[in-house]
Amino acid sequence: MNVAENLQKVRLSIPENIKLVAVSKTKSSEIILEAYNAGHRDFAENRVQELSEKYEQLPKDIRWHMIGHLQTNKVKHIAPFVHLIHGVDSMKLLKEINKRATQNNRIIDCLLQIHIAQEATKFGFSFKETEAIFQSEEFKELQNINIVGLMGMATNTNDENQIHTEFHSLADFFKILKTQNSNLQTISMGMSSDYPIAIEAGSDMVRIGSAIFGKRH
Ligand SMILES: *Cc1c(COP(=O)(O)O)cnc(C)c1O
């Protein structure tokens, strides 16, 4: 298992203009440093506690992405430093991020998580709810939050047609939404098992863990 080699392999397998976020959840700081020393700077975690600890331990020029389900009472811990929050899935959470961003004199970039998978367990807004958010007065008042795009996860299945359909439905929706909201630029879709399909569908940010760091136990 060589992290730098894996990273290079993944990097070469995706077009240059696509952002690669290395998902380092459950991996030690030593292992993350192997990727850092190979020049990588974008890392993602799905737990606030783990993210905060690694932020303390690791070099400060790392761009930390929060990709997990985020509870409102934990936003304050990551608000001072988080680079991009991928999984925003409620108006309550948007308001809390805005509040904590304001306290820290920051504007925090976020992606709205859109529910495209079949599994009921995956979080996220429907397309309709997403449109309603952009049109709401409540949302327009949030000055310290910048929605820069959307994030989606496909169903965990071997059926490539289904994954293809889900990613394409999000990409199509994103195209329409973009014509109405000039801040939108990023569509985060694709993980180790399905990123080639996500890229083919139009993803410009992939979140890859096990293909870089090996299986999680
Ligand atoms: C864990 C995780 C990933 C990465 O998964 P791999 O299969 O290890 O590439 C991507 N996105 C989210 C939201 C995750 O929780």
Side-chain angles (χ1 to χ4, degrees):
M1 239 289 301
N2 182 318
V3 168
E5 250 173 53
N6 292 348
L7 186 62
Q8 174 76 349
K9 248 185 237 156
V10 172
R11 189 67 260 180
L12 289 174
S13 73
I14 64 181
E16 248 176 73
N17 60 331
I18 289 180
K19 194 95 187 156
L20 171 60
V21 178
V23 178
S24 51
K25 61 190 186 195
T26 78
K27 301 297 173 182
S28 69
S29 291
E30 289 70 38
I31 293 177
I32 296 173
L33 274 177
E34 290 180 35
Y36 179 88
N37 290 332
H40 202 71
R41 292 295 179 269
D42 288 88
F43 294 91
E45 295 284 332
N46 68 341
R47 288 166 182 275
V48 165
Q49 168 104 28
E50 194 175 339
L51 175 53
S52 305
E53 285 170 11
K54 288 175 179 172
Y55 168 74
E56 291 300 331
Q57 290 165 8
L58 287 160
K60 292 297 175 284
D61 61 341
I62 288 178
R63 293 182 287 269
W64 287 107
H65 297 243
M66 175 66 198
I67 57 171
H69 180 62
L70 179 57
Q71 290 172 312
T72 46
N73 63 351
K74 303 220 167 132
V75 174
K76 58 176 178 285
H77 301 298
I78 60 170
F81 67 88
V82 70
H83 173 69
L84 178 64
I85 301 176
H86 289 234
V88 179
D89 59 0
S90 72
M91 185 53 103
K92 190 176 156 215
L93 186 55
L94 278 171
K95 285 182 178 169
E96 177 65 14
I97 295 169
N98 185 69
K99 176 179 153 189
R100 299 298 178 181
T102 308
Q103 287 177 352
N104 284 280
N105 267 317
R106 301 186 65 204
I107 292 173
I108 297 183
D109 287 346
C110 294
L111 304 177
L112 295 184
Q113 183 167 355
I114 313 301
H115 189 276
I116 52 171
Q118 301 265 304
E119 296 114 324
T121 53
K122 292 207 166 106
F123 295 98
F125 293 113
S126 67
F127 294 159
K128 258 213 167 110
E129 288 167 336
T130 307
E131 282 173 335
I133 284 192
F134 280 105
Q135 278 153 18
S136 74
E137 289 307 317
E138 262 183 313
F139 171 69
K140 288 172 191 159
E141 283 168 14
L142 305 178
Q143 298 292 322
N144 288 63
I145 200 162
N146 190 15
I147 306 282
V148 296
L150 306 178
M151 181 271 228
M153 291 170 82
T155 304
N156 184 10
T157 174
N158 291 326
D159 182 350
E160 294 201 352
N161 279 327
Q162 187 178 344
I163 297 171
H164 181 273
T165 303
E166 289 172 0
F167 282 150
H168 271 274
S169 74
L170 182 53
D172 288 347
F173 176 64
F174 183 63
K175 258 186 219 151
I176 297 167
L177 207 61
K178 239 163 113 168
T179 64
Q180 301 149 15
N181 304 275
S182 54
N183 286 348
L184 296 178
Q185 51 198 5
T186 298
I187 178 163
S188 165
M189 347 185 257
M191 0 206 289
S192 296
S193 60
D194 59 17
Y195 74 87
I197 307 175
I199 290 171
E200 186 271 330
S203 171
D204 59 16
M205 182 178 278
V206 291
R207 311 175 309 271
I208 298 187
S210 46
I212 297 171
F213 297 109
K215 280 209 177 72
R216 289 177 297 272
H217 303 286

